[in-house]
Amino acid sequence: MSERIISWHGNPSKPRFVPPAGAVDAHCHVFGPASQFPFSAKAKYLPDDATPEKLFALRDRLGFSRNVIVQASCHGTDNAATLDAIARSNGMARGVAVVDPAISDDQLEELHNGGIRAVRFNFLKRLVDNAPKDKFLEIAKRIERLGWHVVIYFEAELLNELRPFLDAIPLPIVIDHMGRPDVEQGANGVDMQALGGLLDGREDIWFKATCPDRLDASGPPWDAFARAVAPLVADYPDRCLWGTDWPHPNMQDAIPDDGQLVDMIPRIAATTTLQQKLLVDNPMRLYWPEVIRS
């Protein structure tokens, strides 16, 4: 892994869609800079630096106001790069951490003070070597006192296997990228129906209507994604989130245009009411609840 990977568009288009005021990009990452924040020895990919400055410049170009920065797997359980980006955001970013099961309560408190509001559990074998459900459940119980939630990343074929684990988590859950369904099956396909069943079973499970570039092999304008996902957003309007996934880890062979990703939003959230929920109300409830209360 000696060659650094660039997976993001160098000059993304200006989207035609204008997000509502206060819109949140609720799934994005930062990489490095490696000179300051080295990558994990277990990293499965070695990206070029994708700094907070680049992220916030993209945010402004796309018409967003806030970011939720998700700890990238290449940084392992060292959340320093994510915390640094949050600290540089002037209060306009919050974060999702990846933690070692041995983390202390004091260290969790430090993460909270640094703007972390959730922990991510990753079950993608190509990205992580070990995903211990028992340890993850211990972490979930320990972060409940902080008012956090759990973000879970898995592939659709794992959903049935994970159901007992999900049922045992005592706090809200956010499903990354909808659990990577096969969107070509359509809204009534097996994968989307299984996700709907999961959402019907618990009212505190949310999902990210994200990553047409990953999930729709047909390429832009990602029509299969739009057809499959729009009914899900309409059926669960208070539990959907959206994000760019910038800087698109491991997408170097099919780098998406972030402007085109933003222009997908009105195709999956057709009304201004749905767009307000998807981009503002829902992420603010999860990540800036104190702003909502005030």
Side-chain angles (χ1 to χ4, degrees):
M1 291 198 304
S2 59
E3 186 176 349
R4 304 283 293 279
I5 296 170
I6 294 177
S7 53
W8 59 93
H9 200 292
N11 186 28
S13 62
K14 184 76 173 175
R16 297 184 300 275
F17 173 71
V18 178
V24 181
D25 176 352
H27 189 98
C28 52
H29 315 276
V30 291
F31 300 149
S35 60
Q36 185 177 358
F37 305 110
F39 298 111
S40 168
K42 298 179 181 179
K44 304 296 186 180
Y45 60 96
L46 193 63
D48 205 354
D49 294 342
T51 63
E53 291 78 12
K54 291 178 181 178
L55 174 62
F56 301 148
L58 178 72
R59 174 199 65 196
D60 296 345
R61 178 169 178 77
L62 299 180
F64 285 74
S65 299
R66 299 173 188 259
N67 299 96
V68 178
I69 303 171
V70 178
Q71 171 78 350
S73 64
C74 59
H75 278 293
T77 59
D78 183 350
N79 295 277
T82 296
L83 291 169
D84 173 71
I86 295 170
R88 293 173 180 269
S89 74
N90 295 317
M92 304 304 281
R94 289 277 163 89
V96 176
V98 176
V99 302
D100 188 298
I103 190 170
S104 70
D105 287 342
D106 287 345
Q107 289 171 318
L108 287 172
E109 196 75 41
E110 289 174 7
L111 291 176
H112 185 85
N113 293 337
I116 298 297
R117 293 297 180 267
V119 165
R120 190 190 204 200
F121 301 147
N122 191 336
F123 288 92
L124 264 64
K125 293 180 180 179
R126 62 180 174 79
L127 294 177
V128 295
D129 294 323
N130 188 28
K133 297 186 185 72
D134 56 338
K135 298 296 184 183
F136 286 169
L137 284 175
E138 290 176 9
I139 292 170
K141 293 171 182 176
R142 291 175 59 205
I143 64 174
E144 188 172 13
R145 65 181 179 85
L146 297 169
W148 293 7
H149 58 276
V150 166
V151 176
I152 301 182
Y153 192 21
F154 59 86
E155 293 178 314
E157 58 265 28
L158 283 180
L159 179 53
N160 284 338
E161 175 190 328
L162 288 174
R163 284 299 294 265
F165 168 73
L166 298 174
D167 290 343
I169 293 175
L171 57 162
I173 298 169
V174 176
I175 306 298
D176 263 352
H177 313 323
M178 300 173 292
R180 296 183 65 96
D182 180 354
V183 296
E184 293 184 6
Q185 297 173 352
N188 294 318
V190 172
D191 292 352
M192 296 302 287
Q193 288 297 301
L195 177 60
L198 179 68
L199 296 169
D200 289 338
R202 277 180 60 171
E203 294 185 354
D204 61 348
I205 296 183
W206 304 48
F207 65 95
K208 295 178 185 175
T210 47
C211 290
D213 50 305
R214 293 186 185 276
L215 303 179
D216 188 345
S218 66
W222 304 298
D223 292 332
F225 182 93
R227 288 192 296 267
V229 175
L232 191 73
V233 171
D235 287 345
Y236 305 94
D238 297 313
R239 290 188 275 159
C240 53
L241 304 167
W242 185 91
T244 57
D245 192 39
W246 188 90
H248 313 291
N250 292 309
M251 292 298 290
Q252 62 272 14
D253 295 326
I255 296 173
D257 179 335
D258 298 280
Q260 290 182 328
L261 293 175
V262 173
D263 283 332
M264 173 59 72
I265 292 169
R267 299 182 66 198
I268 61 171
T271 67
T272 55
T273 298
L274 284 175
Q275 292 159 14
Q276 175 73 21
K277 289 176 178 289
L278 177 70
L279 300 176
V280 183
D281 298 348
N282 296 346
M284 290 299 291
R285 282 164 51 206
L286 272 183
Y287 293 98
W288 283 270
E290 71 281 4
V291 175
I292 299 294
R293 288 194 295 267
S294 65

